[in-house]
């Protein structure tokens, strides 16, 4: 029976090799291995021919990913996809390929600067890239659309926005709505609603394409603007999905105050964020995301008390909290 020291040592090894697992997954996505396997090319020679990679390197990568549950089979029989591997097919339903690529490239480099990020309390991304994440997404060709596609892959909790009763609402604004995925999910679930995606100009083409493909043209619009200046007025419901996590308290209060100014007294604000527990039972995922937000954008996850304080400073009050998938919460806020 292993002793305490051996068990602890194994835990250290498992922790420090976690990034190797993530990068192996990234390699599979970057080489489009799941796409080739889905198309029936599951042998090492066939995959080497289609990817231009060495047979030896591929054989070793595939062997590891099969052990991790990404693929089935072996080198002799060929490889197939598990449910996990199927999520990495580029055009698959609910594909997570772009998310894996983002985390294995830009975010991997940002995490390489985690020590200076913690020492200075500033974004590791800025240390690694010499610019902020927001500026990078604005200025780097195709970076904004790639980021939105990656974020879409993590939005499995969107259907659970049904935790809010939209029956009495007629209009919805998705503030900093990015790809339009959340708004389209809400509009498809509630045919009586019309909605607006409000975001910076370079983010709107992706939203326009997504909404035009999923929602009737008469039911939505896209509006360009800066959430720190003003927000479209007069809507019944405002959505803020994973936006507050990117900013410090002062900027969050400014943003929330702009939403409050745009809202009628009967309006509601829906905030989707991860909430850090304070009772000693915090699940790991919100804590991981909290540190990731520091590394990626200089942001943070907050406790429920932290969200109450931000809302209160902007003239809003927390009305209810609903638990969603992946340790995400839906916070419903109303004007004071």
């Amino acid at each position: 029976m292993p002793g305490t020291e051996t068990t602890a040592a194994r835990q250290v090894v498992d922790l420090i090799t976690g990034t190797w697992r993530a990068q192996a997954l990234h390699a599979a996505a970057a080489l489009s291995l799941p796409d080739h396997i889905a198309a029936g090319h599951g042998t090492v020679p066939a995959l080497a021919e289609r990817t231009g990679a060495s047979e030896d390197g591929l054989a070793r990568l595939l062997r590891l990913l099969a052990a991790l549950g990404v693929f089935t089979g072996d080198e002799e029989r060929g490889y197939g996809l598990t449910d996990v591997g199927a999520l990495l097919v580029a055009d698959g339903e609910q594909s997570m390929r772009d998310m894996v690529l983002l985390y294995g490239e830009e975010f991997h480099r940002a995490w390489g600067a985690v020590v200076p990020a913690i020492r200075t309390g500033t974004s590791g991304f800025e240390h690694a890239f010499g610019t902020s994440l927001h500026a990078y997404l604005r200025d780097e060709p195709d970076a904004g659309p790639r980021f939105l596609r990656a974020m879409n892959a993590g939005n499995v909790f969107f259907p659970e926005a049904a935790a809010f009763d939209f029956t009495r609402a007629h209009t919805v604004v998705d503030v900093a709505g990015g790809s339009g995925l959340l708004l389209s999910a809400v509009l498809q679930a509630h045919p009586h609603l019309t909605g607006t995606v409000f975001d910076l100009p370079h983010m709107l083409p992706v939203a326009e394409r997504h909404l035009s493909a999923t929602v009737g043209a008469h039911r939505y619009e896209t509006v360009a603007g800066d959430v720190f200046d003003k927000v479209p007025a007069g809507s019944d419901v405002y959505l803020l999905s994973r936006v507050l996590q990117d900013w410090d308290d002062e900027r969050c209060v400014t943003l929330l105050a702009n939403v409050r100014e745009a809202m009628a007294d009967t309006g509601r604000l829906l905030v989707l964020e991860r909430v850090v527990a304070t009772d000693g039972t915090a699940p790991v995922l919100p804590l991981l995301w909290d540190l990731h937000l520091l590394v990626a954008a200089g942001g943070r996850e907050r406790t429920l008390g932290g969200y109450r304080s931000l809302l209160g400073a902007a003239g809003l009050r927390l009305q209810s909290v609903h638990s969603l998938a992946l340790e995400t919460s839906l916070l419903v806020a109303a004007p004071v």
Side-chain angles (χ1 to χ4, degrees), residues 82-227:
T82 65
D83 290 343
V84 174
L87 288 175
L88 303 184
V89 176
D91 59 355
E93 187 177 355
Q94 296 182 329
S95 173
M96 301 181 76
R97 180 177 184 267
D98 285 306
M99 186 177 185
V100 171
L101 292 176
L102 175 68
Y103 278 66
E105 294 172 9
E106 284 93 343
F107 286 167
H108 181 68
R109 284 180 59 187
W111 269 87
V114 63
V115 172
I118 291 172
R119 280 179 172 157
T120 63
T122 58
S123 163
F125 192 97
E126 292 190 34
H127 288 281
F129 286 84
T131 188
S132 70
L133 174 61
H134 295 281
Y136 178 85
L137 297 178
R138 181 192 65 217
D139 300 334
E140 189 71 15
D142 194 45
R146 283 194 296 110
F147 180 81
L148 292 179
R149 292 195 301 270
M151 293 301 97
N152 285 353
N155 291 336
V156 297
F157 52 78
F158 279 175
E160 298 191 54
F164 179 77
D165 182 5
F166 286 91
T167 303
R168 298 181 181 179
H170 298 285
T171 55
V172 181
V173 175
D174 192 359
V175 179
S179 69
L181 183 63
L182 174 56
L183 181 63
S184 71
V186 170
L187 294 184
Q188 288 178 82
H190 304 280
H192 69 286
L193 294 175
T194 59
T196 300
V197 168
F198 178 69
D199 212 326
L200 295 170
H202 66 277
M203 303 299 266
L204 293 180
V206 174
E208 184 67 41
R209 286 194 297 271
H210 180 77
L211 287 164
S212 66
T214 58
V215 180
H218 64 288
R219 295 188 60 206
Y220 78 90
E221 64 176 344
T222 57
V223 176
D226 188 333
V227 296

Side-chain angles (χ1 to χ4, degrees), residues 274-278 300-309 331:
R274 287 186 172 90
V275 177
V276 175
T278 56
R300 68 186 313 124
E301 301 287 16
R302 293 175 171 86
T303 64
L304 201 56
Y307 285 114
R308 280 199 179 96
S309 295
L331 312 180

